Amino acid sequence: MSLPEHQDFAVQPVNGSSARAASLSNGVTSGATNGVTNGGVNGVANGVVNGVRNGLTKTLNLSTMNPTQSQKPRMRSKTNSAKIEGEPRARTFSRDANGSSFPRIGRPVELLRHSYDVVVIGSGYGGGVAASRMARGGQSVCLLERGKERWPGEFPTSFKDAATQIHVTGDENASDERSVPIDRGNPTGLYHLMIGEGQNAFVGNDYDRAEKMLEPETYPENLPEPLKLKLLREQTDLVRKYGRKEGWDPKFYRVPQTTKFADGRNSTGIEMKASTLTGQDSTGINDGSKTTTLVTYLADAWNWGAEIFCECEVRLIKKHPKEGYLVFFAWHGSRRDAFKEEMLHDLMWVHAKKFVFLGAGTLGTTEIMLRSKERGLPLSDRVGQDMSGNGDLLAFGYNTNAEVNAMGHEDPNPDNPVGPTITGVIDCREQENPLDGFVIEEGAVPRALTHLLQPLLLSLPGKIFPPSLTAVEKQQQKLAAWKSTLLGPYHAQGSLARTQVYLIMSHDANQARMTLKHNKPALEFLGVGRQKHLEKLNDLMSKMTNSSGGTFIQNPFYADFNQQEITVHPVGGMSMSVDGTPEEGATTQFGEVLTGKGNEIYEGLIVVDGALVPTALGVNPFATITALAERSVAAAARKKGITIDYDTVNGPIDPYGNPTYVPSPDHFDDLAAIKKAEAEIDEARAAGKAGTIFTEVMKGYIHIGDEIDDFEVAFDQARSETADAHFYLSVHAWDTNELVSRADHQAMLTGTFSNGMEGSPFMVSRGDFHLFNEDHHAPDQTNLTYDFDMIGTNDEVIHFNGIKVVNPTVAFSISRTWQATSSLYVTLSRPEDNHSIVGKGILHIGWHDFGRELSSFDALGHNFRLRLRTAASFLQYFTSQVATSFLAPLTSLQWPTLQYPGEDPYKKIPPSKTFSPQAIDGEVTLMKMWEPTGGLRDGEKVHDILFVPGAAVDHQIYALPTIKKNAIDYFTAAGYRCWSNTHRVGKTPLAHKHFTVYDARLDIAAALSTIRLAQEQQYGSAPEPIYVVAHCAGSIALSMGLLDGTIPASWLRGVTASNVFMFPRYTPLNKWKASLPVHLTDIYRRFTGSKWFDCTSKKSDAYTQHLLNQLLRFYPAGWNELCTSVACHRSELAFGRLWSHDRLNRATHDQLDRFLGGCSMTCLDHLVQMGLHGKVIDSDGCDLLDEDHLQKLQGLPIQLIYGTENAVFDPSCTLWDYERLRQKFGEQGYSREAFKGHGHLDCWMSETAAVKNGVFDVVRRKIDEGFDRFMSRSRKNSRRKTVGNSMTTVVNGNGIRRV
């Protein structure tokens, strides 16, 4: 953000900033007045341009005035800058109280809002003015700066540090279409060298270019005179002699500069320190004395609520579809440069509702507008034209007779200081032709370059040696050169200590142009230096140098880049039009951008930097730019009716604290999200926490539409439609310890998502990223989730939910592990429309992108040790999570626990009553009843449903407390009275008595009889038929009771048989187990000595059970069904896999011991025999499917349902039932429904059973159909004869029982 104060920016206008501003104002005013009188609008513009040219060149020659008077700028009085008695003193900008960090007025990009009233591009002269004034005008302001924020103390002092801050771009052969522009180095660095054809430009990305608030001062007379200033003063006589021959008279004086020579508060309220006179301006002053725009305009803007974001390189501007503009930028933070191609193409954006002020510098602004034009924004053909190098020259007076001391140093001798980079000027502008005018200033070489300068200067060609040197003098010069080479650049008798740096600004031909080649800027200077004028200047400087016994050396770029010059003050490219038309310029007199159609402008799109200046100025241009920016911003504010508060004076500003003013909440619609993110960031920073960042790119296909539910199908469909999609997101965990220890493992997402939808690219701000958080919808599964609202360029909000699924299915497989961690299942929805589905698909990470993602990883902290510890913590957590799934069969087993999480998170309604039906053989079981909770009309009769569970389970499979809506919830809400009995082979103590499934039919008959009696008692009429839903062994027992007549079919309205009915046929694995020569039940009896198999186990069990538990880790349930639950493993051995794991949520799977019981060997043997026969048989092995038995099912509607992934009974077994019934009784009354992806018990125990068209819906439609049919018949037959049987019912104290 803040860049160094090097010589090209430190050069002050010869007669002071206020004098120049006044000249500009006078020139503009008089020109505009004359224009109104003589030529209307065009005359005004013409007058303004002429005023800028004349008022800032010729009229600034105030040589007839006393220099000591003419140099005094009109500035705010020192009482406004010095400390005021009684006021608190703000902290100076060094490190904070703990010595741990520098202040930051820039905000993390994670806090960027999607829209502002004003967006300012760049933090230089014009950008600082625009941000400050618009913030003082009560507007919400966003400032985007390409560079990083740097405060005094953070600037490089060595070549190693400075080298990392150089960015080189451009094209040496810009006019050759075959040449390719280069782009090397650090794009957010302090220094930018643009190679051009004819001339090169060297600029900075800093805040030190503004002038009005910088309070310039001349170098004090009471301080030791720098030797380089003394030499320049002495050389003035020679220049005067030279000038008189040409008809001009130079003047020497000390220039006003933006350096503080005494401690005190500056005009903005920031505490400043006195200069230590280091000469380090070129790479950055670390002593806190430089009055840059960072501590003036930008600090003021921040104090008035402007939000500043660094490392944001604006690339182009587009019109917003509704109002204002979209500013697209590349964010260089969070190591996003690991994906360089995506960084420059997948651009982030911000919406400017009223204004965009372009202050990115001459080169930056021109590049932005050229690219904007290339991408469809109509502009004048003069964009990129009429550029100038401002006549800049750089040269050296090497190895003079006198000590110069121009080598910068962090700790100079106070009696012999280097001084500021520039302290004096030889003003040679008062000439007959103003374009022949120039200024010569002395400079300083920053310490970072001093050790390279000696070999560089010695190697350069084109030296002009002093004439008539004696042999002794030549030897002395050689000796001085050796001293600098061997003893370093600071040796007082060395050649470098005797070298003067010359900085010249003059006028060039104003014929440069910038173009884009391969989307990179190419700069071409034509007729740069006006060759004869350049030769004159070189001749003058060589005479100056030779007169001091030195060797004149032209600038290094002149020698190394084909005799090309270098400029540090490029101007133009978006120059103001003389007549307000696009034929003569790119902007109006106020910097408003022309559309290219007549005098039509883009309202609110305004240039406020050097790109606006139409010609070389011959002096440092920053005061000119500041004055133009102030004028343009004021005009824009007036046009919009904005009142800028120029009068309120800031109190002391503490850059470590908070701004004094903030924009009105009316400006923003995302305050809650911003406040939450701010609190998280501030808390981590205040505690000195270490963070983690990395960036990720994922690409794939997303189908737009809601008709496809399956992700894979949607992906294939989108690929056939070439509907590609990708995101470019950065993850930032502000506190890594929180990330790895919190239950949700949350971090923050920032970036873009792009696809073919209208509004793309979508901005992602403050999104939620969860790293391996537990999936409550699946057992032993962790997810990497991406969840956020994103906003499109059309202001539409789309919700993005993406999940990477990591579970034991990846065990021992590198390919499956990679597939799991690199595949993101994406759902897009509209939050404003009840999250209606917009699209689905899958995104993937490629190997190349994964490598770049790893390179983007970084640990953040105040010191290396903290960063190392943070990186280790993150990587340990990440690898341990992956290893848990990769080594799942070998990890710790999950044992039953007495503490169940949540217990009853969904607050289920308890049973209304409990009954104890007694079967004909005297065995008593339990049955629960739930009254309906909805779905009934007044006076309507309640219908009954009996839910029959399978073996080793009870009513809980239908009344499961761990899912949001279970079967009992669903059907009671639909108006049905629900009953569920636990028969003798279920989860009940009776199961230990060695009953068979055939015996359980008696309990079902008792339960039905109990319900019928309850109906009689409630309605005083004959009981009506009951609908029965039966699962697994309960369904088999029901079929056997119907077949042998124990249960009259007339008692039933209909049956839903779940997964099996009359033909229990096993899956291949279960069939293999049943077919073993020695039955598993016999092996178990001998191995454990027990006739009971418990599906659960405890740590206190016998070692034989523990051994079995360990062996069952490797039960061949399939790679997709691995888990660590002891109960799950043991139930698989007894019955086969009871569910598809992805259908069970974590709470259910973690508490299987609550829902599973056990089974006797007798029951298991009976089940084995039926599986081997493939049909129902009684306890003695007798067939129950002969024609006589089957006839008892006539007229009974039967629905058969099954899970396609059933691993207990083969899914085809219900097909046998279906075909046999239709063959016997015809097609009517029978149906068979498949549920894709479901297994066995999860048909009832999964959350998906309650979804639309899920198990519950399908079963309910069949039940509704049965009762509707019954009611229709009842209306026709007012009196119905009740079918009885030989049994009677009595009521005792324990409830209803059959006898």
Side-chain angles (χ1 to χ4, degrees), residues 921-939:
D921 62 353
E923 297 294 343
V924 177
T925 55
L926 289 178
M927 181 167 64
K928 310 284 185 179
M929 183 269 285
W930 293 264
E931 293 286 0
T933 58
L936 286 174
R937 293 186 296 271
D938 291 342

Side-chain angles (χ1 to χ4, degrees), residues 775-783 805-810 888 894 963 1112-1113 1115-1133 1136-1152 1156 1205-1208 1236-1243 1245-1248:
D775 189 339
H776 298 294
H777 301 287
D780 290 349
Q781 179 168 299
T782 57
N783 298 330
V805 177
V806 182
N807 55 36
T809 63
V810 307
Q894 180 187 13
I963 59 178
L1112 288 177
R1113 288 175 179 271
Y1115 182 87
W1119 284 109
N1120 291 337
E1121 305 294 341
L1122 293 176
C1123 74
T1124 59
S1125 169
V1126 171
C1128 190
H1129 293 170
R1130 293 176 69 91
S1131 64
E1132 287 172 343
L1133 177 65
R1137 178 169 51 80
L1138 292 175
W1139 33 66
S1140 294
H1141 277 79
D1142 61 356
R1143 298 286 174 171
L1144 248 59
N1145 66 22
R1146 180 180 292 268
T1148 302
H1149 191 264
D1150 287 353
Q1151 302 178 54
L1152 288 177
L1156 296 176
E1205 303 301 318
N1206 192 346
V1208 179
K1236 185 177 180 181
H1238 283 275
H1240 188 69
L1241 263 175
D1242 51 307
C1243 287
M1245 296 177 69
S1246 73
E1247 293 178 325
T1248 55

Side-chain angles (χ1 to χ4, degrees), residues 208-259:
D208 63 342
R209 307 174 192 177
E211 181 177 28
K212 184 178 181 181
M213 295 174 72
L214 301 186
E215 302 175 318
E217 304 176 49
T218 58
Y219 186 82
E221 296 287 348
N222 61 342
L223 294 180
E225 182 181 29
L227 295 179
K228 61 186 181 71
L229 175 63
K230 177 183 177 184
L231 178 60
L232 185 69
R233 175 171 52 78
E234 293 171 348
Q235 290 174 329
T236 305
D237 290 337
L238 184 143
V239 177
R240 183 172 291 111
K241 294 177 184 178
Y242 185 95
R244 284 173 180 170
K245 295 178 183 179
E246 301 290 330
W248 45 268
D249 186 20
K251 293 175 178 61
F252 170 83
Y253 46 85
R254 299 183 181 190
V255 296
Q257 56 190 279
T258 54
T259 300

Side-chain angles (χ1 to χ4, degrees), residues 96-167:
D96 65 12
N98 299 320
S100 59
S101 65
F102 291 89
R104 289 290 178 261
I105 63 173
R107 291 163 67 85
V109 173
E110 287 84 355
L111 297 180
L112 179 74
R113 309 172 196 271
H114 86 273
S115 69
Y116 294 82
D117 296 328
V118 178
V119 173
V120 178
I121 303 170
S123 61
Y125 318 133
V129 170
S132 168
R133 300 321 184 197
M134 284 291 126
R136 282 177 172 264
Q139 305 301 296
S140 60
V141 177
C142 165
L143 186 146
L144 301 176
E145 162 59 37
R146 182 176 64 181
K148 295 182 178 180
E149 181 175 0
R150 289 180 176 87
W151 287 76
E154 298 185 276
F155 296 116
T157 58
S158 67
F159 175 74
K160 179 181 178 182
D161 294 336
T164 64
Q165 299 300 320
I166 298 175
H167 184 211

Side-chain angles (χ1 to χ4, degrees), residues 109 399 455 654 657 706 765 773 843 886 1086 1271:
V109 173
N399 204 355
D654 181 2
D706 61 357
S765 300
N773 59 317
L843 301 180
F886 187 80
R1086 296 174 186 175
M1271 294 303 295

